[in-house]
């Protein structure tokens, strides 16, 4: 068990593809790493040893993929217990998951949008509460990207997110790239969207790159560099919440060398430094 | 069954049914074809990426078309309960062994897939492999032995490690393999025989000295001279220790 350590500043998604380079030295700009427990918890051998070598020296954030908070299948308590032990083992203090569903009569292994209804608010908030009780801590929920607005919506997305956060008494993990991707695909003002969220609850931020299909549809691949409009949106976000919220660069495909990723992490740090100090305290 | 679930969950279940079988099920109401197509592709490609990474030989030998079809029916027909991505390949192996698959497949495919999967399983096995303590032959014989906690003793009906693009066996040939992770965290494959496999089974469960296990094995296999059997067995134990299969004597 490692002593608890909180993430701060700018961080990078922890991936096996980067381990060789990282083992020669972690660039100073990288203050923390983020990983998916579904990829790393409960394993042994080389991967476990490598992870341990990094978690002994750097804070890690636990960012889940499979919990299916908005899904109809029973909440996976066994998964959560394993995540709880894994976080203790590595001294992690923050767990975030997506406001999405990934399973219905079995896993689908990807993040899907929850119909924005009152029933779904109550259902999802109850599951977040159960999760928080089991982990003994507040969790952050992330606004997800989506390519279809599920039918039957009774409220806007920001109302949906806000209602769940209020009812679950949880934190907001704001993915700035997802806001941008959705604003393009579904035609809304990204900044107005961000302003309508309970920003005082923000515990964590994501930025990432994406891919634009020939017909203009943007797919949230995390497979390319962050584009300028997303950097600008991140800067506007810091103006609202201050520059102290830890922010992670996600990169999951077409992974470039560490130097290229470090340039982007340094960009996060520059924007954080340029922002006013904490404006709103996390609840 | 309206009323049993709230509307939003009926949508989710209809969506999931369609994503698993896009050609056999109706698109969920209220979802455009283009958007559903994006999801169908994303979801299936994501699942496939785990299978492609774990089963390169199966994929190559089946060819892209048959492999894709097999991955499709796996996604459609086999329950995907695990939240752990590394368990998707294990689930696929179970599907090949137990699923009702209409597509004609080579008889050895299930064994080959298991053989490809076991490398991942042993590589990430949560057990810790300590450095083996070197010890002379006599103590090995006089005590119960500690085996490598990641050891898997496998018996395949087919010569799985020889199967390749240039060798697709027509007749089964039983193949015994020891697969384990060594102290340097490398996965090792050692071809062995039924007798050694059985010996390791006895060693793993026995509270007695390894000599007792050798004597039991000599009796089981009708060996005329147990003394000689123990003598050769001692050499085998030493060799298994050098390989990292046996870690040393078990402390009381």
């Amino acid at each position: 068990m490692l002593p608890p350590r909180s993430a701060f500043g700018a961080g990078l998604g922890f991936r096996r593809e980067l381990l060789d380079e990282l083992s020669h030295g972690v660039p100073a700009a990288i203050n923390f790493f983020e990983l998916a427990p579904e990829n790393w918890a409960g394993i042994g051998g080389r991967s476990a040893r490598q992870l341990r070598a990094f978690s002994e020296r750097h804070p890690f954030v636990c960012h889940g993929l499979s919990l299916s908070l908005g899904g109809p299948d029973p909440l996976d308590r066994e998964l959560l217990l394993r995540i709880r032990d894994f976080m203790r083992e590595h001294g992690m203090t923050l767990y975030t998951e997506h406001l999405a569903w990934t399973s219905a009569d079995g896993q689908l292994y990807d993040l899907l949008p929850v119909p924005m209804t009152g029933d779904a608010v109550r259902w999802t908030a109850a599951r977040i509460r159960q999760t928080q009780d089991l982990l003994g801590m507040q969790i952050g929920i992330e606004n997800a990207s989506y390519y279809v607005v599920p039918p039957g919506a009774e409220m806007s997305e920001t109302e949906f997110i806000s209602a769940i956060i209020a009812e679950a008494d949880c934190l907001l993990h704001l993915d700035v790239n997802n806001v941008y991707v959705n604003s393009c695909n579904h035609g809304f003002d990204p900044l107005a969207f961000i302003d309508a969220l309970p920003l005082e609850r923000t515990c964590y931020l994501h930025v990432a790159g994406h891919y634009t299909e020939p017909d203009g549809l943007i797919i949230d691949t995390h497979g390319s560099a962050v584009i300028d409009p997303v950097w600008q949106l991140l800067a506007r976000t810091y103006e609202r919440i201050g520059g102290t919220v830890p922010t992670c660069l996600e990169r999951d495909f077409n992974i470039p060398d560490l130097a290229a990723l470090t340039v982007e992490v340094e960009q996060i740090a520059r924007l954080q430094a340029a922002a006013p100090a904490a404006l709103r305290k996390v609840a | 069954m309206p009323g049993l679930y709230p509307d939003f969950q009926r949508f989710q279940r209809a969506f999931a049914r369609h994503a698993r079988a896009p050609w056999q099920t109706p698109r969920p109401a209220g979802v455009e074809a283009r958007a559903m197509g994006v999801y169908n592709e994303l979801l299936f490609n994501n699942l496939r990426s785990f299978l492609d990474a774990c089963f390169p030989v199966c994929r190559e030998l089946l060819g892209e078309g048959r492999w894709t079809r097999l991955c499709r029916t796996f996604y459609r027909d086999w329950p995907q309960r695990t939240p752990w991505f590394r368990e998707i390949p294990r689930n696929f192996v179970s599907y090949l062994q137990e699923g009702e698959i209409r597509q004609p497949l080579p008889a050895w495919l299930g064994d080959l897939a298991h053989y490809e999967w076991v490398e991942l399983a042993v590589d990430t096995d949560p057990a810790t492999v300590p450095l083996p303590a070197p010890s002379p032959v006599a103590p090995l014989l006089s005590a119960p032995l500690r085996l490598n906690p990641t050891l898997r003793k496998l018996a395949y009906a087919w010569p799985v490690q020889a199967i390749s693009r240039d060798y697709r066996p027509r007749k089964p040939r039983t193949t015994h393999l020891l697969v384990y992770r060594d102290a340097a965290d490398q996965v090792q494959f050692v071809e062995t025989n039924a007798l050694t496999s059985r010996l390791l089974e006895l060693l793993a469960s026995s509270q007695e000295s390894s000599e007792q296990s050798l004597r039991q094995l000599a009796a089981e296999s009708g060996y005329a001279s147990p003394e000689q059997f123990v003598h050769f067995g001692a050499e085998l134990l030493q060799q298994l220790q050098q390989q990292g299969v046996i870690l040393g004597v078990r402390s009381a």
Side-chain angles (χ1 to χ4, degrees):
Chain A
M1 276 226 269
L2 290 172
R5 267 170 313 177
S6 297
F8 64 97
L12 179 65
F14 191 70
R15 296 198 60 94
R16 284 188 179 81
E17 294 89 332
L18 294 169
L19 287 181
D20 268 356
E21 281 192 279
L22 285 170
S23 63
H24 294 117
V26 175
I30 300 172
N31 297 128
F32 70 91
F33 293 104
E34 171 195 291
L35 52 65
E38 289 83 352
N39 283 325
W40 295 91
I43 62 170
R46 201 177 19 157
S47 296
R49 195 159 39 81
Q50 288 168 326
L51 170 60
R52 182 77 184 184
F54 286 95
S55 71
E56 279 173 355
R57 297 196 312 243
H58 305 274
F60 273 69
V61 169
C62 200
H63 179 55
L65 292 168
S66 295
L67 190 58
S68 198
L69 281 170
D73 291 349
L75 188 68
D76 194 335
R77 299 174 62 88
E78 199 185 321
L79 171 67
L80 280 170
L81 290 173
R82 293 271 289 274
I83 288 174
R84 185 184 66 183
D85 293 348
F86 177 66
M87 289 179 70
R88 283 182 186 161
E89 198 185 320
H90 293 279
M92 299 184 208
T93 58
L94 178 62
Y95 172 63
T96 71
E97 245 290 1
H98 300 83
L99 181 45
W101 59 286
T102 67
S103 67
D105 307 315
Q107 278 284 345
L108 293 162
Y109 300 114
D110 219 330
L111 304 162
L112 299 160
V114 183
M116 295 178 282
T117 70
D119 282 343
V121 167
R122 285 181 288 279
W123 175 264
T124 306
R127 287 157 68 91
I128 294 170
R129 279 188 173 278
Q130 284 179 54
T131 300
Q132 295 183 139
D133 288 348
L134 223 142
L135 295 178
M137 64 174 74
Q138 276 187 307
I139 70 165
I141 58 164
E142 180 188 344
N143 58 301
S145 52
Y146 52 90
Y147 310 104
V148 65
V149 179
E154 295 164 4
M155 60 191 90
S156 71
E157 189 188 354
T158 51
E159 286 166 343
F160 185 62
I161 296 172
S162 305
I164 288 173
I165 287 177
E167 189 161 331
D169 190 19
C170 66
L171 303 172
L172 171 66
H173 166 181
L174 177 60
D175 187 316
V176 174
N177 179 61
N178 289 351
V179 174
Y180 177 81
V181 167
N182 290 338
S183 76
C184 295
N185 286 341
H186 305 290
F188 60 78
D189 174 359
L191 205 52
F193 181 96
I194 288 175
D195 276 329
L197 293 172
L199 290 178
E200 70 283 0
R201 297 250 184 177
T202 315
C203 63
Y204 193 52
L205 296 170
H206 267 171
V207 275
H210 51 250
Y211 171 77
T212 307
E213 296 256 347
D215 67 355
L217 185 76
I218 301 183
I219 307 288
D220 181 26
T221 53
H222 305 167
S224 49
V226 180
I227 63 168
D228 276 340
V230 173
W231 286 126
Q232 284 162 23
L233 202 54
L234 181 63
R236 298 291 88 79
T237 304
Y238 287 140
E239 284 171 9
R240 285 155 172 76
I241 63 172
T244 56
V245 176
T247 305
C248 180
L249 174 73
E250 294 183 288
R251 187 65 180 256
D252 298 327
F253 293 100
N254 303 324
I255 296 172
D257 60 20
L258 184 59
L261 292 172
T262 303
V263 170
E264 290 189 285
V265 176
E266 285 166 347
Q267 173 72 2
I268 294 174
R270 260 197 304 279
L271 296 178
Q272 286 176 325
L279 292 182
R280 308 185 197 194
K281 283 192 80 69
V282 168
Chain B
M1 262 186 292
L4 185 57
Y5 300 115
D7 286 348
F8 83 95
Q9 293 188 344
R10 281 213 303 280
F11 167 78
Q12 290 172 322
R13 290 174 202 279
F15 189 102
R17 269 196 304 278
H18 182 68
R20 291 188 183 102
W23 291 284
Q24 291 98 342
T25 57
R27 197 167 73 232
V31 179
E32 285 173 32
R34 163 75 170 131
M36 196 66 225
V38 168
Y39 276 117
N40 288 340
E41 200 177 324
L42 278 178
L43 294 168
F44 179 65
N45 286 347
N46 189 34
L47 179 92
R48 238 197 91 154
S49 67
F50 297 104
L51 301 176
D52 288 356
C54 187
F55 305 104
V57 184
C58 289
R59 180 185 175 187
E60 187 194 356
L61 296 196
L62 276 191
E64 218 45 30
R66 294 169 75 198
W67 174 248
T68 304
R69 193 171 149 203
L70 184 60
C71 295
R72 273 271 171 219
T73 53
F74 168 62
Y75 197 34
R76 185 190 67 194
D77 298 339
W78 201 246
Q80 312 285 342
R81 297 285 174 205
T82 177
W84 309 98
F85 301 125
R86 65 179 169 279
E87 289 181 357
I88 296 172
R90 185 182 72 179
N91 216 4
F92 184 73
V93 170
S94 307
Y95 172 63
L96 291 180
Q97 289 167 343
E98 302 155 32
E100 279 180 37
I101 305 173
R102 286 209 192 147
Q103 180 182 2
L105 295 169
W108 38 258
L109 192 75
D111 272 11
L112 178 62
H114 187 281
Y115 171 69
E116 292 201 273
W117 161 76
V118 83
E119 181 170 7
L120 169 74
V122 171
D123 187 45
T124 58
D125 189 303
T128 306
V129 183
L131 287 165
S135 64
V137 183
L140 271 193
L141 273 182
S142 60
L145 299 183
R146 190 153 62 110
L147 303 187
N148 187 313
T150 66
L151 175 67
R152 289 168 197 243
K153 305 175 288 290
L154 304 169
Y156 292 110
W158 297 87
V160 281
Q161 79 282 36
I163 296 176
S164 72
R165 193 208 291 261
D166 300 322
Y167 177 63
R168 300 167 195 243
R170 300 239 179 110
K171 286 182 188 161
R173 190 184 81 221
T174 306
T175 303
H176 294 274
L177 288 180
L178 303 178
V179 188
Y180 58 99
R181 205 169 68 220
D182 64 20
D185 281 334
Q186 298 295 315
V187 177
Q188 303 292 342
F189 290 84
V190 174
E191 187 159 0
T192 187
N193 52 51
L195 206 63
T196 306
S197 240
R198 174 65 184 145
L199 174 61
L200 287 165
E201 203 175 302
L202 291 174
L203 291 173
S205 58
S206 169
Q207 301 304 316
E208 310 278 328
S209 71
S210 61
E211 182 172 345
Q212 285 305 315
S213 298
L214 282 167
R215 287 182 185 279
Q216 184 182 340
L217 186 59
E220 276 181 15
S221 41
Y223 210 81
S225 162
E227 302 308 323
Q228 202 183 25
F229 194 89
V230 169
H231 176 73
F232 288 124
E235 283 176 23
L236 176 62
L237 293 179
Q238 203 175 19
Q239 191 196 341
L240 289 168
Q241 188 183 22
Q242 278 160 5
Q243 289 169 327
V245 175
I246 290 171
L247 295 179
V249 299
R250 218 182 297 164
S251 39

